[in-house]
Amino acid sequence: MRKTAPKTRRRAEPEDEEQVVYRSSGNIFADLGRPDADELLAKAELARALRHVITERALTQAVAAKALGIAQPDVSNLLRGRLAGFSMERLYRFLNALGQDVRIVVQPKPRSRARATIRTTVRAA
């Protein structure tokens, strides 16, 4: 059997294309047109807070899993931002299990905004 040389691909030379830059709204999920953008951003911020606490305490995924009452692969998913299987309530409970307070504030939306939103503010310990 005769081996052939691997195929090589040439990169297309960039033509005189203008690059368009869009200003972010501050919520990547909204920028991508997701209908549940506020909730997705809030979950991502909660997961970021969990990752911060786990990293700051130098916990292994196995130790974090035991503290949170979940399996190690679930901790891996959390740390990688794979949040499909995690509700916001569950993320709150995980933060509580790691000694973090979670506060929920409900207030009227400003008249200047068309619709109400969900926002998460995370304070570093």
Side-chain angles (χ1 to χ4, degrees):
M1 189 182 284
R2 184 176 169 192
K3 291 186 178 182
T4 59
K7 292 182 180 180
T8 59
R9 292 186 181 183
R10 281 188 166 170
R11 288 187 178 179
E13 292 297 320
E15 297 179 18
D16 292 332
E17 294 180 25
E18 282 190 37
Q19 289 187 349
V20 179
V21 178
Y22 297 95
R23 183 176 299 277
S24 172
S25 68
N27 182 339
I28 185 64
F29 303 106
D31 295 342
L32 294 171
R34 294 290 305 261
D36 51 352
D38 287 342
E39 182 176 349
L40 289 170
L41 181 61
K43 284 174 68 172
E45 291 292 335
L46 293 170
R48 185 171 63 97
L50 281 163
R51 185 174 47 250
H52 175 77
V53 173
I54 290 168
T55 302
E56 187 176 77
R57 295 182 186 176
L59 301 178
T60 64
Q61 289 186 8
V63 171
K66 188 171 184 177
L68 301 176
I70 59 176
Q72 178 274 324
D74 292 331
V75 174
S76 177
N77 284 335
L78 275 173
L79 298 179
R80 293 173 180 268
R82 297 177 181 156
L83 306 176
F86 300 99
S87 67
M88 287 184 48
E89 181 182 359
R90 195 169 181 204
L91 296 173
Y92 302 153
R93 283 185 283 152
F94 292 161
L95 285 163
N96 289 156
L98 294 175
Q100 303 298 299
D101 284 338
V102 176
R103 295 186 181 162
I104 300 170
V105 178
V106 178
Q107 62 190 32
K109 73 168 189 62
R111 290 182 183 172
S112 61
R113 226 181 318 114
R115 64 182 193 89
T117 61
I118 298 171
R119 298 276 185 237
T120 305
T121 303
V122 178
R123 294 184 188 171

